[in-house]
Amino acid sequence: MEKQVGLTGQEVEERIRSGQVNRMENHMVKTNKEIVKAHLLTYFNFLNLFLAILVLITGQFKNMTFMGVVIVNAVIGIVQELKVKKVVDKLTVLTASKAHVVREGEKYEIDIEEVVKDDILIVINGDQICADCTVLECDGLEVNESMLTGESKPVKKKAGDELMSGSFVVAGGGVGRVVHVGDENYAAELTRKAKTKKRATSEMQNTIKRIIAVISILIIPIGILLFRSQISAQGMTRNEAIVATVAGIIGMIPEGLVLLTSISFILGVGRLAKKRALVQEMEAIEALARVNVLCLDKTGTITTGELEVTEVLGLGEVKKEEVSEIMNELTFAFEDSNNTQEALKRYFHRMDRFTVVQKIPFSSERKYRAIEFEEKGCYVLGAPEFLLQDDEEGAEILRKVNQYSEEGYRVLLLGKCGSVQAEDGSVSEVSPMGLIVILDCIRKEAPDVFQYFRRQKVEIKVISGDNPVTVSKIAGKAGLLGAEKYVDASTLGDDPQSYREAVQKYNVFGRVKPEQKQKLVHAYQSEKKVVGMVGDGVNDVLALKDADCGIAMAAGSDAAKQSAHIVLLDSDFACLRNIVSEGRTIIANIERVSALYLTKTLYSILLCVIFILLGRAYPFIPVQLSLISAACIGFPSFVLTLEHTEEVTSTGFLRHVMQTALPAAITMVVTLLVVQVLSPFWKETEVFTYTFDLLVGGAVGIMVVFRVCRPLNWLRGILCVCVIAVFSVGVLLFPGFLGIHSIFCWQMVLAIPLVCMVILLYHELIRLILCCYRIRDRIHEKLEILFPKRKKKRSR
C-alpha cells in the first residue's frame, strides 16, 4: 500500500472547531439531568401531586402520607442510578471502540468519536466501520453490510467504493478517507433505532408497561365516577368524598412496582459492572436470566484462545522444509490478525524473498487464504475439508487429519494450486503439500462452568468454524455432556427445517459459517428457547445480534462488541457463571415481590368499580392504605429484593404473578363485601366498618407476604414475623390516627371469623386458579398436537 500522509494537526483542530467530528448528539447513556428528569417528571408523580393538593384543600393532612413514599421513591431512584452511572461510565471508557488513523504520516489509535472529516482511516479484519468512507486502497477487503442492508453475504470492495458506517470487515483490510461524520453518517439514524441489532427481550418489562398503560387509561374515568358516587353516598361531605376518591386512586397507582423494576435493573447493571460485565441494554439482564440454551464459540470460550503450532508435516514427496519455506513467506504476506495468524507468526519466520502478485485474505465464509508469488506460483492455506479433492489421496489425508482431530488438535492444509482469482476469491487445482498442526488449550475452569449450567437446566451448544471432530473432542474434555453428538454444518444446506431438526439432535456443530450460526440461533428460537450467544470474532456478529442475549468478549473484535448486549471485560468464560447467577437473582426477586404491588392494584380497581356501582363509601382512607403498603408491601419488598436467590420461574412473568395476586385481590373484595353486609349490625357504623376493613386488608397483605416467602428460610421467617409486628403496632398504638376503633372491645371478636375467612378463601382460590391454568395448558397441548402447522407458523 502507498504511504499515506493524512491530515496535519492544524487541519484536525480546524475540523473540530467547525463541528466536523464523529460525535453523535443522541447518546445511549443518560446524562445526570436526564436521570433526574426521568425520576421526577412522570405521569404518576404528577397524578400523586394533584391528589395531594386535593387532600390539602380538605385540611386532612394525615392523609397526605402517601407523598412521603413518592418523594422517597424518587430520591432513591435518582441516587442509585447516578451511582451506577459512574461505575458504567468508567467501564464504557475501557471498552470504547478505537479507530486507526494516519495523521502527518504517522499511525495513531484514537477513540472513534475523535475521528474528523477527511481523516485517513485504516481498517482490518474484525473492525467495525465508524464513519462513512471512500476506499483509497484495499488488500482483499470484504465487508459485511447486514446491519444496514440485511444481506449477510460479504461485499468485496475496491478503490473508489463506499464504506458505510455500521458495516464490518470480514476479510482483508484497506485504507479509506472519511467523507461523513457524526449524525451525517449513513448508520446514524439506524443507531438511534437501537443500533440495528435485535433488542434484548424483556417479558417482565413489556408486561409491566402494558399493565401501566391500561391503568393510566382507566384511572381518570374511574376516579371521576368514584368521586360522583362518593359525593352522592349517604352522609358523605364533599371533603370526605375527595379523601375517599384519593384513597381509591392511590391504591390503583403501582408506583412501587415501577420503582422496584427500574431500580432492580439499574442496580443489576451496577452489580454486573463490578463483576466486570458491561450491560449495553438493561433488558439483557432479564434475557440472560431466562436463557435456557447457551451457544458458545469454541475459541476464546471453552479454550483459552492461545494457539500454538506443534508440528509441520510434508505430504507425499514434499519435505517439511519445503512447507516451512512457503509458510515463512505466506504467513507474513497477510496483515490481518486473529489467533491462528498470531500462532503462525510465532512459529514461522519472516523472509520476504518472494514478490506477491495477488492474494485472497482469509474469511470465515471461504475457510482459506490464498496467494500468488511471482517466483513460486500459487498456494492456498485453509481447512482440509474445503480444499481436498474427493479421491483416494484426499481420503488418505483426511484420515490423517481426523486422527489429529480426535486428539483435539486443529489442522491446516497447505496446498499448491493452479491459479488464484482474487476477484471472486476462488482457487483451482489444489495439490496437497503439507499439514500444520495447532494445539488449542482448554480453560481449566470450563468443567465447573458446564456443571453449573447443568444444575441451572441451561443447555450448552458449541458452534464453531473448526473441524467438528476436533470441536467434539475438546468439548468432551471440557466436560460437555453429549459432546459426541456432533455434525458438520456444511451438510445442513439452506432449508430452515434441516436446522430445526439438527438442533434437536446435536450438541456440537463444526465447520459453521457465520450465516449458519445465525440460522442455528433462529432454529433454537423457533423451538421456543431463550437463546444466549457467546462469541468474540467477526464470524459471531450475525448470531450475536439476533440472539435473545448476545455476550461478547472485550478482547474480541469491535464488531462483536458493538453487536452484543453484554460485554465481558475480562474476556473470561468463567465469569458467565457469576453473571448468569446475578441476572437470575435480580429477576427472581422482582418476580416474587411484583405480586405484592399488583395485589394492591388489582383489588383497588375492583373495589373502585364495585363501590361506584353500589354507591357506598369507599372502604379505605389514604392513611390506612399507607399502613398496609408500608407493612405488607414496601418493607418486605425491600428485604426480598436484597436476598440472593436464583429461582426464576419458567411459566412466564404475568402468569407467575397472577397466581398470587389475583386470588388475593378476589379474597379482599369478597371479604370487604361481607363486612359491608354485616355493617348494619353494629353501632358507630363508620368507625367499626373502617376497623374491620383495615384488619381484612392487613390479613390479605400478610397472606401474600407469606405466599411470596415460600419456601420459608430463617430470613423469610423473620420477615413474616416483622410484617405482622409492624402492622399490629400500627393498629394497636395509633387507632385514632388511622381513623379506626380501638380493637380492645368485645365487637372485635368478629374479626376472628373474618380473618379465618381470608385464609381459607385465599388458599381455595389459589387452588382454583392453578387448576384453571393446568386445564388451559392441556387444551393448548392438544391443540398443538391436532394442528401442528399452527405451531410451526408461530415458531417462525
Side-chain angles (χ1 to χ4, degrees):
M1 292 188 182
E2 297 180 6
K3 177 76 171 178
Q4 298 287 341
V5 178
L7 299 175
T8 65
Q10 183 179 351
E11 290 172 329
V12 171
E13 289 298 324
E14 288 174 357
R15 282 161 175 76
I16 292 174
R17 282 196 296 270
S18 62
Q20 295 178 319
V21 65
N22 198 40
R23 297 191 184 116
M24 285 183 281
E25 295 179 4
N26 187 14
H27 292 285
M28 299 294 286
V29 180
K30 290 181 182 178
T31 64
N32 291 349
K33 184 178 179 181
E34 288 171 336
I35 290 172
V36 173
K37 286 173 65 178
H39 285 277
L40 291 181
L41 306 181
T42 68
Y43 172 73
F44 287 130
N45 279 357
F46 283 123
L47 183 59
N48 276 305
L49 182 60
F50 174 72
L51 296 175
I53 292 171
L54 291 179
V55 175
L56 185 64
I57 293 171
T58 69
Q60 298 189 31
F61 305 120
K62 68 178 182 181
N63 284 307
M64 293 178 60
T65 51
F66 64 90
M67 279 305 295
V69 177
V70 174
I71 294 169
V72 170
N73 283 353
V75 171
I76 291 174
I78 292 168
V79 171
Q80 292 296 342
E81 189 162 0
L82 288 175
K83 285 172 62 178
V84 170
K85 181 180 181 295
K86 289 182 181 179
V87 177
V88 174
D89 284 347
K90 291 178 182 178
L91 297 185
T92 304
V93 171
L94 296 176
T95 60
S97 297
K98 303 293 183 180
H100 295 91
V101 298
V102 177
R103 292 175 178 174
E104 297 183 333
E106 299 293 330
K107 182 178 176 181
Y108 294 95
E109 182 182 73
I110 62 174
D111 289 340
I112 60 173
E113 291 193 344
E114 295 177 9
V115 173
V116 300
K117 189 174 181 179
D118 297 322
D119 253 331
I120 301 299
L121 194 66
I122 301 173
V123 294
I124 60 173
N125 190 6
D127 282 355
Q128 186 162 37
I129 310 300
C130 65
D132 295 347
C133 302
T134 299
V135 178
L136 300 178
E137 306 172 33
C138 58
D139 182 13
L141 180 63
E142 295 181 33
V143 176
N144 187 300
E145 298 176 346
S146 63
M147 288 190 176
L148 306 174
T149 65
E151 174 56 56
S152 63
K153 295 292 184 183
V155 179
K156 193 171 181 63
K157 298 290 183 179
K158 60 181 184 299
D161 286 349
E162 183 183 15
L163 289 178
M164 294 186 289
S165 58
S167 58
F168 53 93
V169 181
V170 294
V175 176
R177 183 183 300 279
V178 176
V179 294
H180 295 139
V181 290
D183 290 327
E184 295 179 358
N185 281 321
Y186 180 81
E189 185 176 349
L190 297 176
T191 302
R192 287 192 291 270
K193 294 179 180 178
K195 294 186 175 180
T196 75
K197 67 188 172 194
K198 175 180 176 179
R199 298 286 297 182
T201 55
S202 176
E203 176 199 356
M204 179 180 297
Q205 285 196 321
N206 292 339
T207 302
I208 291 172
K209 284 176 183 176
R210 286 197 297 270
I211 292 170
I212 290 172
V214 171
I215 293 169
S216 300
I217 294 170
L218 294 177
I219 203 164
I220 294 176
I222 287 178
I224 294 171
L225 292 173
L226 182 62
F227 175 72
R228 291 184 62 183
S229 71
Q230 296 302 289
I231 203 167
S232 60
Q234 186 176 3
M236 290 283 279
T237 66
R238 179 177 293 274
N239 285 349
E240 289 172 337
I242 290 174
V243 172
T245 303
V246 169
I249 295 175
I250 287 173
M252 292 172 61
I253 300 175
E255 73 275 353
L257 179 60
V258 177
L259 177 75
L260 170 75
T261 52
S262 61
I263 292 300
S264 294
F265 276 106
I266 291 164
L267 292 177
V269 171
R271 286 199 289 265
L272 289 173
K274 291 177 182 177
K275 295 179 183 291
R276 306 283 293 167
L278 178 62
V279 178
Q280 302 192 118
E281 290 180 21
M282 284 200 291
E283 295 87 350
I285 295 175
E286 182 180 352
L288 180 65
R290 298 192 190 280
V291 160
N292 48 30
V293 170
L294 192 61
C295 300
L296 310 173
D297 188 9
K298 172 180 68 66
T299 306
T301 52
I302 300 175
T303 60
T304 62
E306 289 291 325
L307 306 182
E308 178 185 357
V309 176
T310 60
E311 193 175 356
V312 176
L313 302 173
L315 296 174
E317 301 297 323
V318 181
K319 295 181 180 179
K320 173 183 174 181
E321 288 74 20
E322 293 179 56
V323 175
S324 295
E325 180 187 27
I326 300 302
M327 288 301 301
N328 287 338
E329 300 294 332
L330 184 151
T331 299
F332 293 92
F334 292 88
E335 296 180 3
D336 56 336
S337 178
N338 55 46
N339 292 331
T340 303
Q341 174 74 345
E342 295 303 316
L344 294 175
K345 284 183 176 179
R346 285 193 294 269
Y347 187 86
F348 296 105
H349 308 286
R350 181 188 288 271
M351 304 300 290
D352 294 333
R353 293 190 301 168
F354 304 150
T355 305
V356 177
V357 177
Q358 61 176 333
K359 54 188 176 180
I360 301 172
F362 175 83
S363 80
S364 301
E365 179 74 21
R366 285 187 293 267
K367 304 292 185 186
Y368 62 78
R369 62 174 56 168
I371 194 166
E372 180 181 353
F373 296 115
E374 187 176 301
E375 300 84 356
K376 281 283 188 176
C378 303
Y379 297 88
V380 62
L381 177 71
E385 298 92 328
F386 284 74
L387 297 174
L388 289 170
Q389 301 293 324
D390 188 13
D391 54 21
E392 187 176 338
E393 182 187 16
E396 179 61 33
I397 295 173
L398 275 180
R399 278 194 289 272
K400 184 174 291 189
V401 169
N402 286 335
Q403 288 175 0
Y404 281 105
S405 298
E406 288 170 2
E407 296 300 319
Y409 290 96
R410 298 173 60 185
V411 183
L412 298 177
L413 173 75
L414 175 68
K416 186 170 178 58
C417 48
S419 65
V420 169
Q421 302 296 328
E423 291 77 15
D424 60 7
S426 64
V427 297
S428 64
E429 302 174 15
V430 177
S431 175
M433 287 185 63
L435 299 177
I436 292 88
V437 183
I438 300 175
L439 176 65
D440 198 351
C441 301
I442 299 172
R443 290 185 182 272
K444 294 179 181 178
E445 62 273 15
D448 291 337
V449 178
F450 283 159
Q451 190 174 20
Y452 167 79
F453 284 119
R454 278 200 300 274
R455 291 196 304 268
Q456 295 299 315
K457 298 179 181 178
V458 176
E459 300 175 44
I460 299 291
K461 310 293 179 181
V462 180
I463 302 176
S464 174
D466 292 338
N467 185 300
V469 179
T470 303
V471 180
S472 170
K473 191 70 176 180
I474 289 176
K477 287 182 178 179
L480 177 66
L481 292 181
E484 69 282 357
K485 298 177 182 178
Y486 64 86
V487 66
D488 188 329
S490 62
T491 65
L492 295 180
D494 295 323
D495 182 16
Q497 182 60 32
S498 66
Y499 287 88
R500 286 195 289 269
E501 293 173 357
V503 297
Q504 295 175 3
K505 295 179 184 177
Y506 305 108
N507 296 322
V508 174
F509 300 84
R511 294 299 177 210
V512 185
K513 296 179 180 180
E515 66 271 17
Q516 288 183 306
K517 291 188 178 185
Q518 185 183 38
K519 289 178 180 178
L520 287 169
V521 167
H522 291 167
Y524 282 115
Q525 289 170 334
S526 72
E527 296 296 317
K528 300 181 181 178
K529 302 290 187 180
V530 182
V531 183
M533 175 70 198
V534 184
D536 62 352
V538 69
N539 59 322
D540 300 315
V541 169
L542 299 177
L544 283 169
K545 75 183 185 71
D546 279 2
D548 295 294
C549 183
I551 304 165
M553 304 293 184
S557 68
D558 284 347
K561 288 185 287 185
Q562 292 297 319
S563 302
H565 305 108
I566 296 175
V567 179
L568 304 185
L569 299 182
D570 292 331
S571 300
D572 187 357
F573 170 61
C575 291
L576 271 180
R577 176 173 47 190
N578 293 331
I579 291 167
V580 170
S581 174
E582 190 66 54
R584 293 196 163 204
T585 295
I586 294 163
I587 301 307
N589 288 341
I590 295 176
E591 281 186 339
R592 286 188 297 132
V593 300
S594 292
L596 300 174
Y597 292 98
L598 287 181
T599 296
K600 182 177 75 116
T601 298
L602 281 175
Y603 71 64
S604 294
I605 293 173
L606 292 173
L607 288 174
C608 284
V609 173
I610 290 170
F611 279 83
I612 287 171
L613 297 175
L614 292 177
R616 304 190 67 166
Y618 194 75
F620 296 110
I621 57 176
V623 70
Q624 295 167 351
L625 288 175
S626 295
L627 174 63
I628 295 174
S629 296
C632 304
I633 300 177
F635 170 60
S637 66
F638 175 76
V639 175
L640 291 172
T641 301
L642 296 178
E643 189 185 16
H644 194 283
T645 179
E646 299 179 26
E647 301 164 2
V648 180
T649 178
S650 60
T651 57
F653 170 73
L654 185 59
R655 173 172 173 170
H656 178 72
V657 171
M658 292 300 283
Q659 287 174 0
T660 299
L662 186 57
I666 295 172
T667 300
M668 173 79 87
V669 171
V670 172
T671 314
L672 289 180
L673 288 176
V674 171
V675 173
Q676 291 293 314
V677 172
L678 296 176
S679 60
F681 295 98
W682 50 70
K683 296 178 181 179
E684 300 178 74
T685 304
E686 182 179 307
V687 177
F688 273 108
T689 301
Y690 275 141
T691 306
F692 288 119
D693 288 343
L694 181 59
L695 293 175
V696 167
V700 171
I702 291 167
M703 289 300 298
V704 175
V705 172
F706 270 87
R707 176 76 178 173
V708 300
C709 284
R710 295 173 55 190
L712 285 174
N713 55 28
W714 67 270
L715 176 63
R716 298 176 193 175
I718 293 173
L719 172 62
C720 291
V721 172
C722 290
V723 167
I724 295 171
V726 170
F727 182 78
S728 299
V729 167
V731 172
L732 292 171
L733 299 184
F734 306 103
F737 182 75
L738 294 170
I740 62 174
H741 197 282
S742 171
I743 65 169
F744 298 107
C745 62
W746 69 268
Q747 289 93 335
M748 290 298 109
V749 174
L750 290 172
I752 297 174
L754 285 173
V755 171
C756 291
M757 180 181 175
V758 166
I759 296 170
L760 292 173
L761 185 58
Y762 182 52
H763 284 295
E764 290 304 315
L765 285 171
I766 287 174
R767 291 173 60 185
L768 177 61
I769 288 175
L770 289 175
C771 182
C772 291
Y773 273 122
R774 283 195 293 269
I775 292 171
R776 194 203 71 166
D777 290 342
R778 287 173 187 169
I779 293 172
H780 183 68
E781 289 172 5
K782 288 185 178 180
L783 286 175
E784 288 192 337
I785 294 171
L786 292 172
F787 305 101
K789 291 183 180 178
R790 289 179 56 195
K791 179 180 177 182
K792 289 181 182 178
K793 187 175 181 180
R794 281 197 306 273
S795 68
R796 293 192 188 98

